[in-house]
């Protein structure tokens, strides 16, 4: 075990790897920042550190040069920017409370997210349009989400299982 980033990760919530670029990205809810470093921890920098209020999940699309993240602060939202932080855009900002998990279905070109306070799993296209409700179940406090070619997987704080 090796700590590669120590002084610049106070509350690292979301974590994503840019394998082709050799970078690790993370969200930090204490610093309200999205940061990047080389996979060995060197060359740290904040990619975004303004207009963030509790960034949570992060996913990368290195092939197209984008990162997507959730923010569950006072104005919950899902955003996208180039992996260098430029070209920032809000994709979804309505009917969200605690968007905890986020995943990218590359083959379908869709984002899926789970919200711990609306009790929903939803999706949209990669521009935030064509929003669809995938699943609703009160009182599930959704937390993690992942997708492969045929299934969607999720966790909830109050369910002691991984559901497919």
């Amino acid at each position: 075990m090796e700590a590669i980033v120590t002084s610049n990760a106070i509350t690292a919530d979301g974590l994503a790897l840019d394998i082709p670029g050799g970078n690790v990205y993370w969200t930090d809810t204490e610093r309200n920042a999205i940061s990047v470093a080389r996979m060995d921890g060197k060359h740290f920098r904040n990619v975004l550190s303004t207009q963030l209020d509790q960034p949570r999940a992060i996913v990368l699309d290195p092939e197209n040069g984008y990162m997507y993240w959730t923010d569950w602060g006072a104005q919950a939202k899902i955003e996208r920017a180039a992996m260098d932080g430029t070209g920032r855009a809000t994709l979804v900002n309505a009917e969200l409370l605690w968007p905890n998990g986020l995943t990218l279905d590359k083959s379908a070109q869709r984002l899926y997210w789970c919200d711990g306070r609306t009790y929903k799993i939803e999706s949209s296209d990669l521009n935030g349009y064509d929003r669809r409700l995938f699943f609703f179940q009160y009182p599930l406090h959704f937390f993690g989400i992942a997708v492969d070619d045929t299934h969607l997987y999720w966790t909830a704080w109050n369910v002691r299982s991984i559901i497919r």
Side-chain angles (χ1 to χ4, degrees):
M1 185 165 56
E2 171 189 14
I4 62 166
V5 176
T6 55
S7 62
N8 296 307
I10 299 172
T11 306
D13 271 353
L15 187 66
L17 296 178
D18 166 20
I19 301 293
N23 296 310
V24 58
Y25 285 73
W26 67 95
T27 62
D28 192 315
T29 57
E30 183 74 22
R31 293 176 35 253
N32 287 324
I34 296 174
S35 304
V36 63
R38 300 297 295 166
M39 286 186 181
D40 62 5
K42 295 179 181 171
H43 306 292
F44 159 86
R45 74 179 182 89
N46 286 326
V47 178
L48 289 169
S49 59
T50 61
Q51 298 178 331
L52 292 170
D53 181 19
Q54 299 196 26
R56 171 66 188 92
I58 185 168
V59 295
L60 303 176
D61 182 4
E63 293 82 10
N64 294 306
Y66 288 114
M67 61 179 174
Y68 301 85
W69 68 94
T70 65
D71 189 318
W72 56 295
Q75 298 295 316
K77 59 191 172 236
I78 298 170
E79 295 188 87
R80 174 187 68 203
M83 289 172 63
D84 65 0
T86 61
R88 183 175 179 175
T90 299
L91 303 181
V92 179
N93 63 359
E95 298 179 40
L96 293 173
L97 294 174
W98 286 353
N100 284 324
L102 183 67
T103 192
L104 172 63
D105 183 341
K106 291 183 182 181
S107 63
Q109 294 291 289
R110 295 193 68 79
L111 288 172
Y112 285 85
W113 65 90
C114 56
D115 192 305
R117 282 198 56 207
T118 64
Y119 319 110
K120 295 178 184 177
I121 296 175
E122 297 185 81
S123 74
S124 74
D125 68 19
L126 299 183
N127 294 308
Y129 299 113
D130 191 28
R131 187 171 175 175
R132 300 178 191 169
L133 175 63
F134 184 79
F135 186 71
F136 169 83
Q137 181 67 52
Y138 176 82
L140 292 181
H141 189 106
F142 294 110
F143 189 73
I145 191 166
V147 67
D148 67 13
D149 290 337
T150 56
H151 294 95
L152 187 71
Y153 301 80
W154 56 266
T155 64
W157 284 346
N158 51 347
V159 174
R160 294 182 179 176
S161 303
I162 298 170
I163 309 298
R164 179 177 80 170

